[in-house]
Amino acid sequence: MEAGRELMQEVMDLPARFTLIHDGEKLILTEPDGVVRTYLTSGKAEKHQLTNGTIETKTAWDGPSLVMQITVGERAKLTRTFTLRDDPRRLEVATGFDRAPKDARRLHIYDQAPGR
């Protein structure tokens, strides 16, 4: 049970900074400590090994937003939505449990790095 909580915490905690590259059907996320995670944006299911366990993701575009369905263990399902805003230019990343109220989501806001 403790391992499940640690995996869920790992999924919910996003880094304070990261580099995000969209290359064709790939989304490449590089964390400050050098960890690189690649997600396909084709909607196909794929597994990812994290420090505390394995998750399954399905990632696809929904209009201007990239939507990632995340399955943690056998029961927990989350949706993470990446939306790029223009004024001011920033990335909003919303994460919430599938059956939770919309206002129960975690929202992370990332400003574009200076000079980019």
Side-chain angles (χ1 to χ4, degrees), residues 28-93:
I28 304 162
L29 192 146
T30 305
E31 297 180 12
D33 61 2
V35 173
V36 177
R37 301 192 195 286
T38 302
Y39 302 93
L40 298 176
T41 60
S42 61
K44 293 181 182 177
E46 53 184 335
K47 293 192 183 286
H48 298 277
Q49 181 63 48
L50 304 182
T51 301
N52 294 300
T54 303
I55 62 169
E56 183 177 289
T57 63
K58 291 181 185 178
T59 308
W61 290 100
D62 182 10
S65 297
L66 188 66
V67 178
M68 180 183 292
Q69 302 293 327
I70 304 170
T71 303
V72 182
E74 294 180 18
R75 295 183 182 179
K77 294 185 186 228
L78 300 101
T79 300
R80 176 167 289 151
T81 305
F82 298 82
T83 306
L84 187 61
R85 304 288 183 201
D86 282 326
D87 191 22
R89 190 156 173 82
R90 65 184 186 190
L91 177 68
E92 294 179 1
V93 182

